[in-house]
Amino acid sequence: MTDRARSNAAVEVFEQAASSYDRTGVSFFGPFGAELVRCAGIRPGDRVLDVGCGRGAVLFPAADATGPTGRVTGIDLAPAMVSFTAEDLRRAGLTHVDVRVDDAQQPDFPPGSFDAILAGLVVFLLPEPQQALRTYARLLRPAGRLAVSTFAAQDPAFVAAMDALAAHLPADQPRPAPAADPFADERTITATMAVADLAVITIRDYQVESKFRDVGHWMEWMWSHGGRALLRHIVPERRDAAIADAARALEPARVPDGGLALTTAIRITVATPRAGAPAS
Ligand SMILES: C[S@@+](CC[C@H](N)C(=O)[O-])C[C@H]1O[C@@H](n2cnc3c(N)ncnc32)[C@H](O)[C@@H]1O
């Protein structure tokens, strides 16, 4: 599969997940989005772009931070994400925020349009992340900030449960091939940003504990986001066995009230256009 085909498949997964994305009563995208906005240091009046906005985990806190004197634009390539989020914005009465269908690989705005660009858990889904970052550098005003979050560490019980599910994929289903990860660690991230004409200001990890009532709730959450990419390839006749294996793998995450608790760490990188880098 090419990078472009993988990226299209990811968008299709989010299109199907949009109605329940971040709406399963699990604390996960919300706190990560709020922390990304906090790290970006957004000020009242700022002009902000949120790429891969999903259901607004980053967009809504960004709108709070700019206040009505600022402007926040969210883009997402999944039309259902955009229409659900547009409806949520309308209900919240936020007139300084808009959302539209656009590609985070190459957002369509004039150079120097934004004080801040936010990319919450999306750059690793893009076919050419380094090129996208270079575009973001051009879209920022001088001294503007790019804030990007990527995954830093998954709970061992989550990794084991994913492996248990993946063992039930059909034999002809291609497994994700290990690829060079431009966001693997701080050194790689700094190098990736430098290639994109961005200088790193800070890199820090932030972790969240997510609670689930039971394995059924965990599965509901898995279907509501990128986890769906794996689940949809498990044929219906294998699903009960796959869930039973995942449940066994999740046992170490059991908490005294009978639910499950999983800890996930994200890495938040804040960068700024390098002085002297071309603006267009
Ligand atoms: C993991 S979700 C993150 C959503 C949101 N930023 C958050 O923190 O909850 C990734 C989002 O990126 C979107 N996406 C994936 N590829 C994209 C692309 N090339 N252009 C725009 N959006 C994209 C998906 O549709 C999805 O809404």
Side-chain angles (χ1 to χ4, degrees), residues 18-26 55-56 60 88 220 224:
S19 62
S20 58
Y21 182 89
D22 202 16
R23 298 294 182 276
T24 58
V26 175
R55 293 292 303 270
F60 281 84
D88 292 341
E220 182 193 346
S224 74

Side-chain angles (χ1 to χ4, degrees), residues 41-100:
I42 291 167
R43 292 175 287 254
D46 274 358
R47 179 87 172 81
V48 176
L49 176 66
D50 174 19
V51 298
C53 63
R55 293 292 303 270
V58 173
L59 194 75
F60 281 84
D64 271 354
T66 67
T69 58
R71 176 110 215 129
V72 184
T73 296
I75 61 168
D76 201 290
L77 214 44
M81 285 291 192
V82 171
S83 61
F84 280 118
T85 302
E87 179 55 25
D88 292 341
L89 288 169
R90 195 193 58 71
R91 263 201 297 270
L94 291 175
T95 53
H96 65 295
V97 188
D98 66 291
V99 277
R100 61 181 83 157

Side-chain angles (χ1 to χ4, degrees), residues 77-168:
L77 214 44
M81 285 291 192
V82 171
S83 61
F84 280 118
T85 302
E87 179 55 25
D88 292 341
L89 288 169
R90 195 193 58 71
R91 263 201 297 270
L94 291 175
T95 53
H96 65 295
V97 188
D98 66 291
V99 277
R100 61 181 83 157
V101 176
D102 193 2
D103 194 348
Q105 180 62 50
Q106 187 82 42
D108 189 15
F109 296 91
S113 293
F114 299 102
D115 300 296
I117 298 181
L118 308 172
L121 301 175
V122 63
V123 283
F124 45 81
L125 297 171
L126 302 178
E128 294 176 86
Q130 282 178 342
Q131 252 179 42
L133 295 176
R134 193 185 286 271
T135 300
Y136 303 162
R138 282 199 299 269
L139 295 184
L140 284 170
R141 295 183 178 142
R145 282 100 50 222
L146 170 68
V148 171
S149 61
T150 48
F151 286 107
Q154 299 283 4
D155 196 293
F158 175 83
V159 175
M162 291 295 280
D163 288 346
L165 292 172
H168 290 270

Side-chain angles (χ1 to χ4, degrees), residues 194-279:
V195 170
D197 290 330
L198 290 153
V200 168
I201 302 171
T202 55
I203 302 181
R204 62 173 67 117
D205 289 1
Y206 176 72
Q207 72 178 39
V208 164
E209 185 186 68
S210 308
K211 297 230 171 83
F212 305 86
R213 289 187 300 278
D214 49 29
V215 173
H217 189 205
W218 182 76
M219 284 298 294
E220 182 193 346
W221 175 76
M222 285 288 291
W223 277 108
S224 74
H225 58 68
R228 192 180 189 96
L230 187 159
L231 296 180
R232 66 183 185 153
H233 292 297
I234 301 176
V235 294
E237 310 82 74
R238 294 292 295 264
R239 283 202 184 137
D240 285 350
I243 294 168
D245 287 347
R248 265 188 292 281
L250 286 168
E251 251 338 283
R254 183 79 55 199
V255 288
D257 71 2
L260 300 165
L262 295 172
T263 300
T264 312
I266 60 162
R267 185 156 294 144
I268 296 177
T269 304
V270 180
T272 191
R274 283 202 302 198

